[in-house]
Every structure is written in structure tokens, then in C-alpha cells.
Amino acid sequence: MIDKSKRNFFRRVKNSPFKSFIFPPYYEKKEDFIKCIECENKDCLIACKEKIIHIEEEKPVIKFGTNGCTFCDDCALACPNEVLKIENKKEKLNCDMIINPKKCIAHNQTICFSCQDICEENAIIYNGMFNPIIDLDKCTSCGFCLSVCPTNAIEIQII
């Protein structure tokens, strides 16, 4: 039987307003996103040239599709409530990119360099022609590799 303190802990994690979102890389504390409720125009969304910022539960979050984050500063410059600020710029988004070997065609002995070709940080390393891994020390989690993977083998892990 789970005691009440453990149950309450899991309930808090489950109900956290910040649990599973990827945020633009310009915030100081996740709690600051509460100020986004006051923002009527959602200027950060409009400023994003890559069109990866979406509003979820009244907060700007990143959802990868055909593009990734260029860390261009436009969303931070457009933020009227100073939730996103240039001086808080992070070198990595709050997630890790992981290659699922079961889905990756390179891990299954088919030549494919799609993710490596688009990676500007050279964070995707191959063991010969096969078996790519992502060097998490180099990876900024920009998300560009997600859109080019033919088998959706690159998965996001929120940190």
C-alpha cells in the first residue's frame, strides 16, 4: 500500500502546470510563465519564423513539426511581459533527443544519414555507417533532426 505522502507527491507531479512542455530557451524559471496569461497578443508566437511556438494552457511551448529552433532571439525580443529575455538564453532546450534503435533504419543496417546531415552542432555520431548516437553534450535539442528522420526514430525526453 502506498502511503499518503507518496500518493500526494505523484498527484503533484501529475497536476504540475509545467510537466511535459518544451519551452523557448529564454526563461529564467518555469513559474514565470504564469505571466503569459496576461499577454493578449501572444507576440512570441507571431515572432517565431520557424512557426514552432504554440500556445498550450496559455503558455508558449515548442512543438516540433517540419522545423526546429534556431535560437534566433525573436521570441524573447517580442515578449512584452519579459518572461522570455535574451539574458536568460539557454544553450539547450529543456529536453533531450534520443535515437530509438528499434525504429532507426541505420541501426537496422540500412544506410541513412538524414539526422546527421541536418545537425549543425555535429551532435549525431555514427559508429561506422550504422549505429548513430546523439552526443547530449553537443546537442542543443533544436529539433531539426526530428523532421528529417524517415522512421520517427528520434524521440523527445523532457528534462
Side-chain angles (χ1 to χ4, degrees), residues 58-122:
E58 300 192 62
K59 296 179 229 15
V61 300
I62 292 180
K63 291 189 176 184
F64 298 114
T66 57
N67 294 325
C69 182
T70 61
F71 297 82
C72 69
D73 303 340
D74 290 347
C75 61
L77 293 170
C79 180
N81 294 339
E82 297 189 338
V83 174
L84 304 176
K85 296 193 282 191
I86 299 289
E87 55 267 24
N88 295 331
K89 186 174 186 175
K90 295 166 181 35
E91 294 183 17
K92 180 181 175 88
L93 296 176
N94 64 306
C95 62
D96 284 331
M97 301 297 170
I98 310 288
I99 297 175
N100 182 335
K102 291 179 182 175
K103 292 182 180 178
C104 177
I105 61 175
H107 271 276
N108 291 287
Q109 310 305 303
T110 300
I111 296 172
C112 178
F113 294 99
S114 297
C115 59
Q116 186 184 46
D117 290 344
I118 202 163
C119 183
E120 291 186 7
E121 304 301 325
N122 297 315

Side-chain angles (χ1 to χ4, degrees), residues 1-12:
M1 179 163 181
I2 298 176
D3 69 29
K4 286 184 180 181
S5 63
K6 287 181 184 176
R7 186 177 301 132
N8 286 336
F9 169 76
F10 287 112
R11 190 172 290 136
R12 280 194 312 271

